Amino acid sequence: MRDVTSLYEEFGEERLPPGQRETERFPVLSKSGVPSPDMDDWEFTVTGAVEDELSLSWEEFRDLPSETQRQDFHCVTGWSRFDNEFAGVTFPEIAERAGVRDDAEHVMFAALDDYTTNLPLEECDRPEVLFAYELDGEPLPSDHGGPLRVVTPHKYAYKGAKWVDSVAFLTEPERGYWEKRGYSNTANPWNEERYSSM
Ligand SMILES: Nc1nc2c(c(=O)[nH]1)N[C@H]1C(S)=C(S)[C@@H](COP(=O)(O)O)O[C@H]1N2
Ligand SMILES: [Mo]
């Protein structure tokens, strides 16, 4: 178990970011309905500025080296949930398998509900950015993004795509779904980067 609940020390004084309150509940926030993919057809792709584009079946994805982490989760709407145990595959594990090219600078995640979200590569290529398929010892519930979601404990949670099935490495920055609609592109909870001035 990798405990990453102290990563806040890199960004701020307090574990609970300013303007957040802690909740034991785990609210669900989705822009639209809950996709229910047929796992026989499900495919995870890695494309763009990489040496080897990847296309993995659910079985192949589940065979990748995985780890369990204890993480905090901060929603831009003001709640935080501490000590979530997510299991899955780290972003660096995926990036290394694809062989990220030197000209890659940015990352766009895409999901089955057509959600997208973006991060600069250097803020994304960290082991705390996890492709998670388990929460608290159970398969990740579908309303929380099962079968597979991204979690980003160093950012507001909209940077973590639920129902993720593709990662594109980009040579130029681009904005995802909420980043185009007024949420902060940078999303650092300890700076309260909630909205974008655009
Ligand atoms: N695919 C997808 N991912 C998504 C969203 C979404 O609508 N679709 N909502 C985002 C937002 S705004 C938040 S706060 C978190 C919510 O995660 P939760 O529903 O597990 O609490 O998921 C993020 N990831
Ligand atoms: Mo959100």
Side-chain angles (χ1 to χ4, degrees):
M1 162 85 72
R2 190 201 292 253
D3 185 338
V4 304
T5 56
S6 56
L7 70 73
Y8 73 88
E9 292 167 359
E10 200 181 313
F11 302 100
E13 298 286 306
E14 306 281 341
R15 182 171 173 190
L16 187 67
Q20 296 290 107
R21 69 195 152 67
E22 196 189 338
T23 174
E24 306 269 301
R25 295 170 50 238
F26 198 169
V28 168
L29 281 124
S30 308
K31 70 173 184 65
S32 45
V34 175
S36 49
D38 178 345
M39 296 317 284
D40 291 334
D41 298 334
W42 187 92
E43 197 178 49
F44 180 84
T45 61
V46 181
T47 59
V50 292
E51 304 295 342
D52 299 300
E53 295 199 326
L54 304 178
S55 167
L56 302 174
S57 69
W58 178 239
E59 248 181 9
E60 290 168 329
F61 193 93
R62 291 298 307 249
D63 282 342
L64 297 174
S66 67
E67 60 177 62
T68 305
Q69 296 186 4
R70 179 172 297 133
Q71 301 198 342
D72 297 343
F73 188 99
H74 308 294
C75 178
V76 71
T77 60
W79 53 270
S80 293
R81 189 181 193 256
F82 285 168
D83 295 320
N84 308 293
E85 283 183 24
F86 286 109
V89 181
T90 67
F91 186 92
E93 178 73 41
I94 298 289
E96 198 178 319
R97 268 161 206 272
V100 179
R101 293 199 327 238
D102 289 346
D103 59 342
E105 284 190 4
H106 215 80
V107 179
M108 185 70 76
F109 299 90
L112 295 169
D113 61 344
D114 294 328
Y115 187 82
T116 53
T117 186
N118 63 286
L119 278 174
L121 178 57
E122 61 176 13
E123 294 185 32
C124 200
D125 195 14
R126 17 188 320 154
E128 303 88 349
V129 176
L130 195 66
F131 293 91
Y133 44 66
E134 274 179 31
L135 169 62
D136 297 337
E138 302 287 339
L140 182 66
S142 56
D143 52 354
H144 285 300
L148 188 70
R149 80 171 299 166
V150 180
V151 282
T152 55
H154 61 324
K155 297 289 182 184
Y156 288 122
Y158 62 89
K159 290 291 183 180
K162 304 197 282 187
W163 313 296
V164 66
D165 72 342
S166 100
V167 184
F169 288 83
L170 309 176
T171 56
E172 302 278 343
E174 270 180 44
R175 286 182 185 229
Y177 183 85
W178 282 122
E179 292 87 354
K180 281 184 193 159
R181 289 168 175 77
Y183 279 117
S184 163
N185 197 23
T186 48
N188 176 349
W190 291 273
N191 272 344
E192 283 202 78
E193 295 164 1
R194 296 179 196 269
Y195 306 106
S196 158
S197 43
M198 307 287 263

